[in-house]
Amino acid sequence: MKNNPFIPYKKGNLVIIDGRVDEKVIKFLEKLNIKVIKTVKCEDVHEAIAYHPDIVLHPINYKTLIVAPNVFEYYEEKFFGTGIELIRGEKQLVRDYPGDIAYNVGRVYGYAIHNFKYTDEKLLFYLKKEGLELIHVNQGYTKCSMAVVDKKAIITADRPIYEAMVKCDIDTLLIEPGYIELEGFDYGFIGGCFGSICKNDIFISGKLDDHPDKDKINNFLKKHKKNLIFLSNDKIVDLGTIITLYC
């Protein structure tokens, strides 16, 4: 089983997060001795997801990122001296779906889950190089749609992803879609609200109080011995995944 960069093996010390988050969130993360890299706006995709990390980049492993050519120079500068390798992707992102999903690949256990008709070719090459088994689904926003809880556990509101993962013996909690803020869309995705800082601690963008499956989600997280760290007391919002790395 290959390591999953969305599940840190030790406490991460660098976080990539939506550049629009409140400054209080940045200061909170910095107090935890975490270097914060705020995303830059990708002008070529929809405004709602223009700052989402999981739209413009994908962590191949704990030390390597594939980055969309649209914003590569920004991240090349930001990551200079961190020891993290950046690889320029081939596919230029565009506004209309599916032109914006090339790097939004879900990962759990030894699987990469995506609509592989639209995956960036260079990302696909490195996923195969990592030895991952490719699971094709029709959903394009697979990382957005998957909250990675543990090495063999996820939460999703997408039934086809749920069915595919259950077949792969992944402990998968299916929840109701919606109840997550994402300005410009009817609702956001659960995967975009989460990010692990270490094996046992999970960041979540806000409170689950208004979600009809809040008890199911909390019980699932307790089952997998996860401690929730809330970045806000407001309603959960889709930030496009909080990505943790080591530098």
Side-chain angles (χ1 to χ4, degrees):
M1 191 277 292
K2 301 295 179 183
N3 287 325
N4 182 354
F6 293 113
I7 298 290
Y9 64 92
K10 64 179 181 179
K11 184 183 175 184
N13 59 2
L14 185 151
V15 158
I16 310 167
I17 196 166
D18 187 311
R20 295 169 291 193
V21 293
D22 193 293
E23 197 60 32
K24 289 185 290 186
V25 173
I26 305 300
K27 289 178 180 176
F28 172 74
L29 292 170
E30 289 175 342
K31 282 182 181 178
L32 297 176
N33 295 317
I34 296 169
K35 176 180 173 65
V36 179
I37 291 181
K38 296 196 290 184
T39 58
V40 68
K41 183 178 183 181
C42 179
E43 299 284 354
D44 304 299
V45 301
H46 193 287
E47 180 77 21
I49 58 173
Y51 286 87
H52 282 192
D54 60 20
I55 290 295
V56 297
L57 53 85
H58 183 93
I60 292 296
N61 52 47
Y62 299 114
K63 285 286 188 178
T64 312
L65 288 171
I66 294 269
V67 182
N70 311 60
V71 290
F72 184 82
E73 283 75 18
Y74 171 82
Y75 292 101
E76 187 177 41
E77 180 183 336
K78 288 292 182 182
F79 279 93
F80 180 78
T82 63
I84 294 169
E85 180 186 3
L86 265 62
I87 299 169
R88 185 191 293 265
E90 293 183 358
K91 191 166 284 190
Q92 193 87 6
L93 296 172
V94 297
R95 180 181 172 86
D96 293 330
Y97 180 92
D100 57 354
I101 65 169
Y103 305 93
N104 195 252
V105 177
R107 295 270 291 274
V108 64
Y109 198 54
Y111 305 107
I113 305 95
H114 201 225
N115 186 329
F116 287 106
K117 291 186 289 186
Y118 305 107
T119 313
D120 175 72
E121 285 298 323
K122 193 171 285 185
L123 172 53
L124 195 55
F125 170 81
Y126 281 98
L127 293 173
K128 291 176 180 176
K129 190 176 180 182
E130 289 288 307
L132 296 168
E133 183 178 340
L134 307 181
I135 306 293
H136 176 83
V137 292
N138 289 328
Q139 170 64 265
Y141 299 115
T142 48
K143 177 60 204 76
C144 290
S145 301
M146 293 169 52
V148 184
V149 172
D150 208 343
K151 63 180 181 180
K152 290 191 75 174
I154 66 165
I155 303 171
T156 187
D158 187 283
R159 183 166 287 277
I161 290 177
Y162 167 79
E163 291 172 353
M165 292 296 91
V166 167
K167 288 178 183 176
C168 293
D169 198 29
I170 302 299
D171 190 7
T172 307
L173 176 66
L174 182 66
I175 61 170
E176 289 289 324
Y179 309 97
I180 295 165
E181 293 290 330
L182 181 59
E183 190 174 347
F185 283 85
D186 292 339
Y187 56 84
F189 296 95
I190 190 68
C193 307
F194 278 74
S196 294
I197 185 58
C198 64
K199 184 180 178 186
N200 297 318
D201 293 340
I202 288 181
F203 289 133
I204 185 167
S205 62
K207 297 291 187 178
L208 292 162
D209 297 351
D210 295 331
H211 201 290
D213 291 324
K214 63 180 180 181
D215 292 336
K216 285 184 184 179
I217 295 169
N218 283 322
N219 289 336
F220 190 77
L221 294 167
K222 285 177 185 175
K223 173 184 173 182
H224 290 280
K225 298 180 173 61
K226 301 300 174 181
N227 173 49
L228 275 185
I229 299 171
F230 296 98
L231 297 181
S232 166
N233 289 318
D234 298 326
K235 184 177 178 179
I236 48 174
V237 59
D238 185 344
L239 298 176
T241 307
I242 304 151
I243 297 176
T244 303
L245 297 167
Y246 309 105
C247 63

